Amino acid sequence: MARYFDVHPQNPQRRALGQVVDLLREDGLIAYPTDSCFALGCRLGNQRGMERIRSIRSLDHRHHFTLVCQDFAQLGQFVHIDNAVFRAIKASTPGPYTFILPATKEVPRRLLHAKKKTVGARIPDHLVTQALLAELGEPILSSTLLLPDSGEPLTQGWEIKEELDHVLDAVVDSGDCGVEPTTVIDYSSGEAEVVRHGAGDATRFE
């Protein structure tokens, strides 16, 4: 049964965040809000958590997981970014964008795209997500909370708790955070390719 954390959107309770982080460090799987929609997340080294996300979403091994990072210093530990790409990403973050980039050796091989050796990465513009990342001190391995055969992500914490109570360890709820997933930009070739239109304005990359 998933624990339910009702977190204030402007002043997230430190104690609640600490309890969520404890669950993550114990290899728990959570649903949490972002600046685009709710996401499923676990600790970077949690292989079982990654497989649980695959199972919940019915994902195959071509799916790009996303490293949700607190800031550019953290992001730079896990992906390679040249100067031109850095400027383009910097202009759009924090925000509802996911960037597909070549991974560094800090990223476990099982998380990489099999052929491209890439991983998704992003820096969200969401106070509760940022507070959670600050408390954890490392990225959260994440995927949009979009269930199989569902046209839109789940948007309400209570609804997620009800639907996924048996497969999650915690639900973090700070209010509605929208239905659009991130806009995904693939930089694996060195040039920007918009592979999913979502909450972020994609025109600057087209």
mmCIF file of all heavy atoms in Angstrom, residues 16-53:
data_model
loop_
_atom_site.group_PDB
_atom_site.id
_atom_site.type_symbol
_atom_site.label_atom_id
_atom_site.label_comp_id
_atom_site.label_asym_id
_atom_site.label_seq_id
_atom_site.Cartn_x
_atom_site.Cartn_y
_atom_site.Cartn_z
ATOM 1 N N ALA A 16 7.937 15.773 5.650
ATOM 2 C CA ALA A 16 7.321 14.919 4.639
ATOM 3 C C ALA A 16 8.319 14.587 3.527
ATOM 4 O O ALA A 16 8.436 13.431 3.100
ATOM 5 C CB ALA A 16 6.086 15.597 4.052
ATOM 6 N N LEU A 17 9.060 15.607 3.082
ATOM 7 C CA LEU A 17 10.059 15.369 2.038
ATOM 8 C C LEU A 17 11.124 14.383 2.514
ATOM 9 O O LEU A 17 11.565 13.521 1.760
ATOM 10 C CB LEU A 17 10.726 16.687 1.621
ATOM 11 C CG LEU A 17 9.831 17.716 0.927
ATOM 12 C CD1 LEU A 17 10.620 18.984 0.636
ATOM 13 C CD2 LEU A 17 9.236 17.152 -0.356
ATOM 14 N N GLY A 18 11.520 14.522 3.766
ATOM 15 C CA GLY A 18 12.508 13.605 4.334
ATOM 16 C C GLY A 18 12.017 12.164 4.336
ATOM 17 O O GLY A 18 12.778 11.234 4.054
ATOM 18 N N GLN A 19 10.739 11.985 4.624
ATOM 19 C CA GLN A 19 10.171 10.630 4.633
ATOM 20 C C GLN A 19 10.112 10.049 3.220
ATOM 21 O O GLN A 19 10.364 8.862 3.024
ATOM 22 C CB GLN A 19 8.782 10.672 5.263
ATOM 23 C CG GLN A 19 8.804 10.947 6.754
ATOM 24 C CD GLN A 19 7.410 11.108 7.347
ATOM 25 O OE1 GLN A 19 6.510 11.648 6.706
ATOM 26 N NE2 GLN A 19 7.223 10.654 8.575
ATOM 27 N N VAL A 20 9.788 10.890 2.245
ATOM 28 C CA VAL A 20 9.766 10.436 0.848
ATOM 29 C C VAL A 20 11.172 10.048 0.402
ATOM 30 O O VAL A 20 11.376 9.003 -0.231
ATOM 31 C CB VAL A 20 9.194 11.538 -0.083
ATOM 32 C CG1 VAL A 20 9.287 11.096 -1.542
ATOM 33 C CG2 VAL A 20 7.757 11.858 0.276
ATOM 34 N N VAL A 21 12.151 10.865 0.757
ATOM 35 C CA VAL A 21 13.540 10.573 0.393
ATOM 36 C C VAL A 21 14.012 9.283 1.062
ATOM 37 O O VAL A 21 14.721 8.480 0.441
ATOM 38 C CB VAL A 21 14.451 11.776 0.749
ATOM 39 C CG1 VAL A 21 15.928 11.368 0.744
ATOM 40 C CG2 VAL A 21 14.219 12.913 -0.233
ATOM 41 N N ASP A 22 13.612 9.062 2.302
ATOM 42 C CA ASP A 22 13.960 7.802 2.975
ATOM 43 C C ASP A 22 13.426 6.612 2.180
ATOM 44 O O ASP A 22 14.116 5.599 2.012
ATOM 45 C CB ASP A 22 13.399 7.775 4.396
ATOM 46 C CG ASP A 22 14.171 8.681 5.350
ATOM 47 O OD1 ASP A 22 15.296 9.085 5.005
ATOM 48 O OD2 ASP A 22 13.618 8.986 6.427
ATOM 49 N N LEU A 23 12.187 6.727 1.682
ATOM 50 C CA LEU A 23 11.604 5.653 0.875
ATOM 51 C C LEU A 23 12.389 5.448 -0.416
ATOM 52 O O LEU A 23 12.627 4.312 -0.841
ATOM 53 C CB LEU A 23 10.142 5.977 0.558
ATOM 54 C CG LEU A 23 9.144 5.821 1.700
ATOM 55 C CD1 LEU A 23 7.793 6.408 1.319
ATOM 56 C CD2 LEU A 23 8.987 4.352 2.075
ATOM 57 N N LEU A 24 12.802 6.548 -1.046
ATOM 58 C CA LEU A 24 13.603 6.434 -2.273
ATOM 59 C C LEU A 24 14.930 5.738 -1.991
ATOM 60 O O LEU A 24 15.362 4.871 -2.768
ATOM 61 C CB LEU A 24 13.858 7.825 -2.871
ATOM 62 C CG LEU A 24 12.687 8.496 -3.582
ATOM 63 C CD1 LEU A 24 13.003 9.957 -3.894
ATOM 64 C CD2 LEU A 24 12.334 7.755 -4.868
ATOM 65 N N ARG A 25 15.561 6.116 -0.886
ATOM 66 C CA ARG A 25 16.861 5.518 -0.536
ATOM 67 C C ARG A 25 16.732 4.048 -0.159
ATOM 68 O O ARG A 25 17.706 3.297 -0.245
ATOM 69 C CB ARG A 25 17.502 6.312 0.597
ATOM 70 C CG ARG A 25 18.009 7.675 0.142
ATOM 71 C CD ARG A 25 18.627 8.468 1.258
ATOM 72 N NE ARG A 25 19.170 9.724 0.781
ATOM 73 C CZ ARG A 25 19.227 10.843 1.488
ATOM 74 N NH1 ARG A 25 18.776 10.851 2.740
ATOM 75 N NH2 ARG A 25 19.731 11.948 0.970
ATOM 76 N N GLU A 26 15.529 3.656 0.253
ATOM 77 C CA GLU A 26 15.260 2.243 0.559
ATOM 78 C C GLU A 26 14.749 1.500 -0.671
ATOM 79 O O GLU A 26 14.141 0.433 -0.568
ATOM 80 C CB GLU A 26 14.238 2.166 1.698
ATOM 81 C CG GLU A 26 14.771 2.668 3.036
ATOM 82 C CD GLU A 26 13.663 2.957 4.040
ATOM 83 O OE1 GLU A 26 12.483 2.679 3.723
ATOM 84 O OE2 GLU A 26 13.975 3.471 5.131
ATOM 85 N N ASP A 27 14.999 2.073 -1.853
ATOM 86 C CA ASP A 27 14.614 1.498 -3.151
ATOM 87 C C ASP A 27 13.109 1.447 -3.362
ATOM 88 O O ASP A 27 12.575 0.541 -4.007
ATOM 89 C CB ASP A 27 15.236 0.104 -3.355
ATOM 90 C CG ASP A 27 16.725 0.198 -3.670
ATOM 91 O OD1 ASP A 27 17.196 1.316 -3.997
ATOM 92 O OD2 ASP A 27 17.413 -0.831 -3.609
ATOM 93 N N GLY A 28 12.424 2.463 -2.840
ATOM 94 C CA GLY A 28 10.996 2.600 -3.087
ATOM 95 C C GLY A 28 10.720 3.247 -4.432
ATOM 96 O O GLY A 28 11.598 3.843 -5.062
ATOM 97 N N LEU A 29 9.467 3.139 -4.862
ATOM 98 C CA LEU A 29 8.997 3.750 -6.106
ATOM 99 C C LEU A 29 7.898 4.741 -5.747
ATOM 100 O O LEU A 29 6.961 4.407 -5.023
ATOM 101 C CB LEU A 29 8.456 2.679 -7.058
ATOM 102 C CG LEU A 29 7.855 3.163 -8.384
ATOM 103 C CD1 LEU A 29 8.898 3.860 -9.233
ATOM 104 C CD2 LEU A 29 7.230 1.997 -9.139
ATOM 105 N N ILE A 30 8.000 5.970 -6.284
ATOM 106 C CA ILE A 30 7.034 7.015 -5.934
ATOM 107 C C ILE A 30 6.371 7.593 -7.186
ATOM 108 O O ILE A 30 6.901 7.489 -8.292
ATOM 109 C CB ILE A 30 7.700 8.155 -5.127
ATOM 110 C CG1 ILE A 30 8.670 8.961 -6.011
ATOM 111 C CG2 ILE A 30 8.417 7.609 -3.890
ATOM 112 C CD1 ILE A 30 9.170 10.262 -5.366
ATOM 113 N N ALA A 31 5.219 8.202 -6.970
ATOM 114 C CA ALA A 31 4.616 9.090 -7.955
ATOM 115 C C ALA A 31 4.756 10.498 -7.396
ATOM 116 O O ALA A 31 4.469 10.731 -6.215
ATOM 117 C CB ALA A 31 3.154 8.740 -8.179
ATOM 118 N N TYR A 32 5.212 11.439 -8.218
ATOM 119 C CA TYR A 32 5.447 12.793 -7.708
ATOM 120 C C TYR A 32 5.139 13.836 -8.791
ATOM 121 O O TYR A 32 5.179 13.536 -9.985
ATOM 122 C CB TYR A 32 6.898 12.929 -7.209
ATOM 123 C CG TYR A 32 7.958 12.911 -8.284
ATOM 124 C CD1 TYR A 32 8.526 14.101 -8.733
ATOM 125 C CD2 TYR A 32 8.394 11.716 -8.855
ATOM 126 C CE1 TYR A 32 9.515 14.099 -9.720
ATOM 127 C CE2 TYR A 32 9.375 11.708 -9.834
ATOM 128 C CZ TYR A 32 9.922 12.903 -10.266
ATOM 129 O OH TYR A 32 10.890 12.902 -11.248
ATOM 130 N N PRO A 33 4.832 15.074 -8.380
ATOM 131 C CA PRO A 33 4.454 16.109 -9.334
ATOM 132 C C PRO A 33 5.674 16.755 -9.980
ATOM 133 O O PRO A 33 6.748 16.819 -9.380
ATOM 134 C CB PRO A 33 3.707 17.122 -8.458
ATOM 135 C CG PRO A 33 4.355 16.983 -7.114
ATOM 136 C CD PRO A 33 4.731 15.532 -6.981
ATOM 137 N N THR A 34 5.502 17.234 -11.205
ATOM 138 C CA THR A 34 6.539 18.010 -11.881
ATOM 139 C C THR A 34 5.871 19.216 -12.534
ATOM 140 O O THR A 34 4.682 19.447 -12.375
ATOM 141 C CB THR A 34 7.289 17.189 -12.947
ATOM 142 O OG1 THR A 34 6.447 17.045 -14.104
ATOM 143 C CG2 THR A 34 7.683 15.816 -12.420
ATOM 144 N N ASP A 35 6.637 19.969 -13.322
ATOM 145 C CA ASP A 35 6.081 21.137 -13.992
ATOM 146 C C ASP A 35 5.341 20.772 -15.275
ATOM 147 O O ASP A 35 4.842 21.656 -15.971
ATOM 148 C CB ASP A 35 7.188 22.157 -14.295
ATOM 149 C CG ASP A 35 8.357 21.556 -15.041
ATOM 150 O OD1 ASP A 35 8.432 20.318 -15.158
ATOM 151 O OD2 ASP A 35 9.219 22.319 -15.522
ATOM 152 N N SER A 36 5.275 19.499 -15.612
ATOM 153 C CA SER A 36 4.479 19.090 -16.780
ATOM 154 C C SER A 36 3.312 18.219 -16.319
ATOM 155 O O SER A 36 2.164 18.551 -16.504
ATOM 156 C CB SER A 36 5.340 18.361 -17.816
ATOM 157 O OG SER A 36 5.983 17.241 -17.253
ATOM 158 N N CYS A 37 3.583 17.107 -15.687
ATOM 159 C CA CYS A 37 2.535 16.242 -15.126
ATOM 160 C C CYS A 37 3.190 15.342 -14.083
ATOM 161 O O CYS A 37 4.381 15.478 -13.804
ATOM 162 C CB CYS A 37 1.834 15.437 -16.222
ATOM 163 S SG CYS A 37 2.922 14.483 -17.279
ATOM 164 N N PHE A 38 2.414 14.444 -13.511
ATOM 165 C CA PHE A 38 2.988 13.526 -12.525
ATOM 166 C C PHE A 38 3.972 12.565 -13.206
ATOM 167 O O PHE A 38 3.837 12.242 -14.390
ATOM 168 C CB PHE A 38 1.889 12.704 -11.844
ATOM 169 C CG PHE A 38 1.274 13.386 -10.661
ATOM 170 C CD1 PHE A 38 0.159 14.205 -10.812
ATOM 171 C CD2 PHE A 38 1.805 13.222 -9.391
ATOM 172 C CE1 PHE A 38 -0.417 14.828 -9.720
ATOM 173 C CE2 PHE A 38 1.246 13.841 -8.293
ATOM 174 C CZ PHE A 38 0.125 14.657 -8.459
ATOM 175 N N ALA A 39 4.956 12.128 -12.432
ATOM 176 C CA ALA A 39 5.953 11.181 -12.923
ATOM 177 C C ALA A 39 6.099 10.034 -11.940
ATOM 178 O O ALA A 39 5.776 10.160 -10.751
ATOM 179 C CB ALA A 39 7.306 11.876 -13.110
ATOM 180 N N LEU A 40 6.574 8.905 -12.437
ATOM 181 C CA LEU A 40 7.017 7.802 -11.599
ATOM 182 C C LEU A 40 8.510 7.965 -11.382
ATOM 183 O O LEU A 40 9.241 8.298 -12.325
ATOM 184 C CB LEU A 40 6.736 6.465 -12.288
ATOM 185 C CG LEU A 40 5.268 6.119 -12.536
ATOM 186 C CD1 LEU A 40 5.171 4.928 -13.489
ATOM 187 C CD2 LEU A 40 4.550 5.823 -11.234
ATOM 188 N N GLY A 41 8.995 7.735 -10.173
ATOM 189 C CA GLY A 41 10.411 7.946 -9.927
ATOM 190 C C GLY A 41 11.000 7.014 -8.892
ATOM 191 O O GLY A 41 10.315 6.563 -7.963
ATOM 192 N N CYS A 42 12.299 6.730 -9.057
ATOM 193 C CA CYS A 42 13.040 5.916 -8.094
ATOM 194 C C CYS A 42 14.493 6.387 -8.083
ATOM 195 O O CYS A 42 14.893 7.237 -8.882
ATOM 196 C CB CYS A 42 12.940 4.426 -8.431
ATOM 197 S SG CYS A 42 13.722 3.941 -9.989
ATOM 198 N N ARG A 43 15.257 5.835 -7.178
ATOM 199 C CA ARG A 43 16.681 6.167 -7.086
ATOM 200 C C ARG A 43 17.421 5.658 -8.316
ATOM 201 O O ARG A 43 17.066 4.629 -8.896
ATOM 202 C CB ARG A 43 17.250 5.535 -5.814
ATOM 203 C CG ARG A 43 18.586 6.056 -5.346
ATOM 204 C CD ARG A 43 18.922 5.442 -3.994
ATOM 205 N NE ARG A 43 18.914 3.992 -4.048
ATOM 206 C CZ ARG A 43 19.949 3.246 -4.493
ATOM 207 N NH1 ARG A 43 21.058 3.828 -4.902
ATOM 208 N NH2 ARG A 43 19.863 1.937 -4.518
ATOM 209 N N LEU A 44 18.455 6.365 -8.709
ATOM 210 C CA LEU A 44 19.215 6.040 -9.917
ATOM 211 C C LEU A 44 19.723 4.597 -9.934
ATOM 212 O O LEU A 44 19.676 3.926 -10.963
ATOM 213 C CB LEU A 44 20.393 7.012 -10.048
ATOM 214 C CG LEU A 44 21.253 6.908 -11.298
ATOM 215 C CD1 LEU A 44 20.433 7.104 -12.559
ATOM 216 C CD2 LEU A 44 22.376 7.949 -11.237
ATOM 217 N N GLY A 45 20.169 4.098 -8.789
ATOM 218 C CA GLY A 45 20.721 2.748 -8.743
ATOM 219 C C GLY A 45 19.703 1.647 -8.487
ATOM 220 O O GLY A 45 20.073 0.492 -8.294
ATOM 221 N N ASN A 46 18.426 1.999 -8.512
ATOM 222 C CA ASN A 46 17.372 1.051 -8.160
ATOM 223 C C ASN A 46 16.900 0.280 -9.399
ATOM 224 O O ASN A 46 15.956 0.687 -10.079
ATOM 225 C CB ASN A 46 16.203 1.816 -7.510
ATOM 226 C CG ASN A 46 15.091 0.905 -7.031
ATOM 227 O OD1 ASN A 46 15.122 -0.310 -7.235
ATOM 228 N ND2 ASN A 46 14.095 1.505 -6.396
ATOM 229 N N GLN A 47 17.552 -0.833 -9.684
ATOM 230 C CA GLN A 47 17.203 -1.615 -10.876
ATOM 231 C C GLN A 47 15.788 -2.175 -10.785
ATOM 232 O O GLN A 47 15.038 -2.166 -11.764
ATOM 233 C CB GLN A 47 18.195 -2.765 -11.079
ATOM 234 C CG GLN A 47 17.948 -3.543 -12.360
ATOM 235 C CD GLN A 47 19.051 -4.545 -12.645
ATOM 236 O OE1 GLN A 47 20.042 -4.644 -11.911
ATOM 237 N NE2 GLN A 47 18.900 -5.295 -13.719
ATOM 238 N N ARG A 48 15.401 -2.643 -9.611
ATOM 239 C CA ARG A 48 14.057 -3.173 -9.429
ATOM 240 C C ARG A 48 13.006 -2.077 -9.648
ATOM 241 O O ARG A 48 11.949 -2.310 -10.244
ATOM 242 C CB ARG A 48 13.928 -3.774 -8.031
ATOM 243 C CG ARG A 48 12.535 -4.203 -7.627
ATOM 244 C CD ARG A 48 11.999 -5.317 -8.487
ATOM 245 N NE ARG A 48 10.641 -5.680 -8.089
ATOM 246 C CZ ARG A 48 9.704 -6.107 -8.920
ATOM 247 N NH1 ARG A 48 9.963 -6.238 -10.204
ATOM 248 N NH2 ARG A 48 8.498 -6.409 -8.464
ATOM 249 N N GLY A 49 13.318 -0.868 -9.192
ATOM 250 C CA GLY A 49 12.408 0.253 -9.398
ATOM 251 C C GLY A 49 12.218 0.559 -10.868
ATOM 252 O O GLY A 49 11.097 0.830 -11.322
ATOM 253 N N MET A 50 13.301 0.502 -11.623
ATOM 254 C CA MET A 50 13.224 0.723 -13.069
ATOM 255 C C MET A 50 12.318 -0.316 -13.724
ATOM 256 O O MET A 50 11.487 0.007 -14.575
ATOM 257 C CB MET A 50 14.626 0.665 -13.676
ATOM 258 C CG MET A 50 14.671 0.937 -15.169
ATOM 259 S SD MET A 50 16.329 0.711 -15.840
ATOM 260 C CE MET A 50 16.436 -1.074 -15.816
ATOM 261 N N GLU A 51 12.461 -1.562 -13.310
ATOM 262 C CA GLU A 51 11.626 -2.621 -13.876
ATOM 263 C C GLU A 51 10.166 -2.465 -13.463
ATOM 264 O O GLU A 51 9.254 -2.781 -14.234
ATOM 265 C CB GLU A 51 12.158 -3.995 -13.447
ATOM 266 C CG GLU A 51 13.535 -4.339 -14.006
ATOM 267 C CD GLU A 51 13.593 -4.247 -15.522
ATOM 268 O OE1 GLU A 51 12.580 -4.536 -16.199
ATOM 269 O OE2 GLU A 51 14.660 -3.881 -16.054
ATOM 270 N N ARG A 52 9.939 -1.958 -12.268
ATOM 271 C CA ARG A 52 8.567 -1.697 -11.827
ATOM 272 C C ARG A 52 7.926 -0.605 -12.689
ATOM 273 O O ARG A 52 6.740 -0.699 -13.042
ATOM 274 C CB ARG A 52 8.550 -1.294 -10.355
ATOM 275 C CG ARG A 52 8.845 -2.446 -9.403
ATOM 276 C CD ARG A 52 9.098 -1.959 -7.984
ATOM 277 N NE ARG A 52 7.901 -1.458 -7.342
ATOM 278 C CZ ARG A 52 7.910 -0.868 -6.136
ATOM 279 N NH1 ARG A 52 9.055 -0.721 -5.466
ATOM 280 N NH2 ARG A 52 6.780 -0.427 -5.603
ATOM 281 N N ILE A 53 8.703 0.419 -13.035
ATOM 282 C CA ILE A 53 8.184 1.464 -13.926
ATOM 283 C C ILE A 53 7.858 0.875 -15.293
ATOM 284 O O ILE A 53 6.791 1.149 -15.862
ATOM 285 C CB ILE A 53 9.200 2.624 -14.075
ATOM 286 C CG1 ILE A 53 9.362 3.364 -12.747
ATOM 287 C CG2 ILE A 53 8.742 3.595 -15.171
ATOM 288 C CD1 ILE A 53 10.461 4.404 -12.741
#
